[in-house]
Amino acid sequence: METAVLFAIFLKNGYNTPIRNDSAREVFMKTGLVLEGGALRAIFSSGVCDALLDGHIIADYVVGVSAGIAYGVSYVSGQVRRNLEVVTRFAPDHRYMGMNNLTDRNNRCYFGLKFAYDTIPNQLVPFDYDAFAAFPGPVEAVVTNLNTGKADYLEVPRRDRYSAVLQATCAMPLMFPVYHIGGQPYLDGGVADAIPWRHALDQGCDRLIVVLTHPRDYIRKPDRFMGLIRRHYQSYPNFLKVMEHRASVYNRERDALFQLERQGKVKVIVPASTMGVSRTERDTKKLRLLWGHGYQIACDRMDELREYLQP
């Protein structure tokens, strides 16, 4: 079924984004959206995605890492400002995140898994599974395979009401349990491929919008908990090798991405500042400001993005 027709099915369910006509469909035909992670700092990306929805820019392919794709599925389902509601309502809630969750034998994660991945999307701030299922393009989450130390790119299931793949891509070392999917052990995709722009190009995208969660001058430093990580994951030597070089690879990949941007081949959207927001931020005022920062940057660049997406 044609992309525009499929999208019309779920846009008809109450969203404000107009249905694309045939000519518009051609404009966005090979557009990829790449979303970096960053835990709660990814609310910046949500602001960008909400502006893209309001500006009627819908990608054909979406891939993300950690919170980037966990929040990004609301872009795919067309639920503008859903993530903003989630974080401003629940970031201060200890059921959502806190040390009490990490020490809970039935949870063993800083985030309350059942609350964050079940209660919220299925009861409190409902996720539109029908709209998500109607999206005609691939939606992928990056995970790090502990056995190989490499990134795997898993399709996000359209009707998984407990979001196992989304939990796995968000599984920060030491703060989450290891997830087993398809017989393989997984953690945070940001370890092996923090910004999967190369993978998006390999999937046939000839236009990419890449949303980062750190300013342009950011330089990643080696993980200060590397000693603890070595002890905790000693049975996964390939994973430890990737962790050892994570910072240098990340910095090199960002430099390569910015070079591609200077050549006019991709569009990269970055925050001027993270507004002091941490990965586990509870201050809803800061979170709202960072969301607004992302929204405004995308709005300011909307004409530029539209021109770039022209065939």
Side-chain angles (χ1 to χ4, degrees):
M1 189 180 294
E2 293 290 339
T3 302
V5 175
L6 280 164
F7 232 70
I9 293 173
F10 70 85
L11 292 178
K12 188 178 180 181
N13 292 332
Y15 303 125
N16 294 322
T17 308
I19 298 171
R20 297 179 295 178
N21 57 29
D22 288 341
S23 61
R25 184 179 66 83
E26 294 298 329
V27 171
F28 303 113
M29 198 164 191
K30 295 182 181 179
T31 299
L33 177 64
V34 178
L35 301 168
E36 184 182 15
L40 270 77
R41 280 194 294 262
I43 196 62
F44 169 82
S45 305
S46 293
V48 173
C49 287
D50 287 344
L52 294 179
L53 285 173
D54 284 344
H56 316 154
I57 292 180
I58 309 297
D60 297 290
Y61 168 81
V62 180
V63 62
V65 177
S66 191
I69 191 61
Y71 292 176
V73 293
S74 293
Y75 164 82
V76 176
S77 66
Q79 292 176 272
V80 179
R81 295 168 180 78
R82 178 179 178 272
N83 294 317
L84 181 63
E85 180 181 354
V86 169
V87 299
T88 53
R89 283 181 62 182
F90 301 114
D93 193 322
H94 289 283
R95 294 175 298 172
Y96 187 68
M97 61 179 175
M99 289 302 296
N100 58 306
N101 298 310
L102 191 60
T103 57
D104 182 345
R105 284 188 174 185
N106 296 318
N107 192 75
R108 296 188 182 278
C109 176
Y110 185 78
F111 292 84
L113 296 175
K114 180 172 177 55
F115 186 73
Y117 293 96
D118 182 6
T119 304
I120 290 176
N122 296 321
Q123 298 177 35
L124 302 178
V125 188
F127 180 70
D128 193 332
Y129 293 96
D130 290 337
F132 186 53
F135 183 77
V139 182
E140 294 181 333
V142 186
V143 289
T144 299
N145 188 315
L146 301 192
N147 286 331
T148 65
K150 296 180 179 180
D152 287 344
Y153 305 88
L154 305 183
E155 179 76 18
V156 180
R158 303 303 170 102
R159 301 266 182 197
D160 181 3
R161 299 182 70 86
Y162 197 53
S163 310
V165 169
L166 295 183
Q167 290 188 50
T169 187
C170 290
M172 294 180 283
L174 303 178
M175 297 181 71
F176 276 73
V178 173
Y179 286 84
H180 291 82
I181 299 174
Q184 294 296 320
Y186 291 117
L187 283 176
D188 183 0
V191 175
D193 191 359
I195 313 168
W197 60 270
R198 293 184 189 274
H199 177 72
L201 292 176
D202 288 343
Q203 298 310 298
C205 296
D206 56 3
R207 297 172 181 81
L208 286 185
I209 298 174
V210 183
V211 186
L212 305 182
T213 53
H214 291 287
R216 286 183 180 273
D217 60 356
Y218 174 75
I219 298 176
R220 189 181 188 98
K221 299 178 181 179
D223 199 303
R224 57 185 175 138
F225 296 109
M226 197 59 217
L228 182 58
I229 288 171
R230 288 191 196 97
R231 292 193 296 274
H232 194 74
Y233 300 104
Q234 59 184 307
S235 57
Y236 299 109
N238 289 325
F239 173 72
L240 292 178
K241 288 178 184 178
V242 174
M243 282 295 305
E244 292 279 2
H245 302 287
R246 182 182 184 183
S248 59
V249 170
Y250 176 85
N251 295 331
R252 186 166 63 245
E253 284 298 286
R254 270 178 51 112
D255 288 344
L257 175 64
F258 291 147
Q259 181 176 357
L260 210 62
E261 179 190 34
R262 288 190 291 271
Q263 295 170 358
K265 296 180 180 179
V266 302
K267 291 297 179 183
V268 183
I269 301 177
V270 301
S273 167
T274 57
M275 309 283 186
V277 171
S278 71
R279 292 193 304 174
T280 55
E281 187 61 59
R282 293 184 180 277
D283 188 328
T284 58
K285 182 178 180 181
K286 285 184 179 180
L287 291 166
R288 191 178 292 277
L289 285 172
L290 188 56
W291 174 90
H293 182 45
Y295 189 92
Q296 189 60 56
I297 286 178
C299 286
D300 291 345
R301 296 183 62 181
M302 197 64 67
D303 289 343
E304 173 194 343
L305 294 173
R306 289 183 180 283
E307 183 178 355
Y308 167 70
L309 295 173
Q310 292 296 321

